[in-house]
Amino acid sequence: SSELTQDPAVSVALGQTVRITCQGDSLRRFDATWYQQKPGQAPVLVIYNKNNRPSGIPDRFSGSGSGNTASLTITGAQAEDEADYYCNSRDTIIDHLVFGGGTKLTVL
Amino acid sequence: EMQLVESGGGLVQPGGSLRLSCAASGFTFSTYWMHWVRQAPGKGLVWVSRINSDGSRTIYADSVKGRFTISRDNAKNTLYLQMNTLTAEDTAVYYCAREGGGLSLYMDVWGKGTTVTVSP
């Protein structure tokens, strides 16, 4: 099965732009999905089908991808964006899903 | 309002069994694929299983295949996860989630989770 690799931790100054990346072979075939999870809460979908935002997700969140890498960009990070972010995609070999290890975002 | 509410978690001894439930409301449950995802304490999300809309197709992660069984009762708008031969490595918060659709199989509605602890 595939693996997705994320940086364990990233920090950003309040109001600045941050990019969180995810790498894996499955991303060559399937779009990445991104989830936000705050402590003690369930995950929340923030980006799907590479760059689509569900209703209620601020437009400062965007997604992109090329080759084996997908990115989640937060333009003008806010204090409430401090959370763990997980990428996810369909597995290449079999009809499973795979998550990245997660990136802890700190807003300074 | 679309909602998923998990129940059935608890403390179970190694080798024991537990059945989780996930009650759905606010959407037409019978038309959606559904998932179970778990998260061990202090760890990341791990996909566990998915089931198609009528329950005829089930798919499992290698780590639970042969021990866990996903099922659903569309008349009751409820998803289940039967967990057998539990080990300490199964200790986690278990979330049910709705599959939004499309090739990427994203999960657009999540429950708050139910905690399973496997310990002597």
Side-chain angles (χ1 to χ4, degrees), chain B residues 34-101:
Chain B
M34 296 295 294
H35 296 250
W36 286 99
V37 175
R38 69 184 181 183
Q39 186 170 36
K43 303 296 186 182
L45 301 172
V46 175
W47 175 77
V48 172
S49 182
R50 58 192 286 248
I51 186 169
N52 71 342
S53 57
D54 66 7
S56 61
R57 188 176 177 202
T58 58
I59 304 160
Y60 300 93
D62 290 345
S63 59
V64 306
K65 194 169 184 178
R67 299 189 300 123
F68 289 13
T69 302
I70 189 172
S71 63
R72 64 192 298 161
D73 185 337
N74 285 344
K76 295 183 178 179
N77 290 338
T78 303
L79 174 73
Y80 302 101
L81 185 68
Q82 176 67 44
M83 305 185 295
N84 298 330
T85 320
L86 287 163
T87 73
E89 287 68 42
D90 297 315
T91 293
V93 175
Y94 285 74
Y95 297 101
C96 65
R98 185 183 83 168
E99 184 177 302

Side-chain angles (χ1 to χ4, degrees), chain A residues 42-55:
Chain A
V44 172
L45 178 69
V46 293
I47 293 288
Y48 67 99
N49 293 348
K50 187 186 290 188
N51 191 21
N52 287 272
R53 282 177 290 105
S55 60

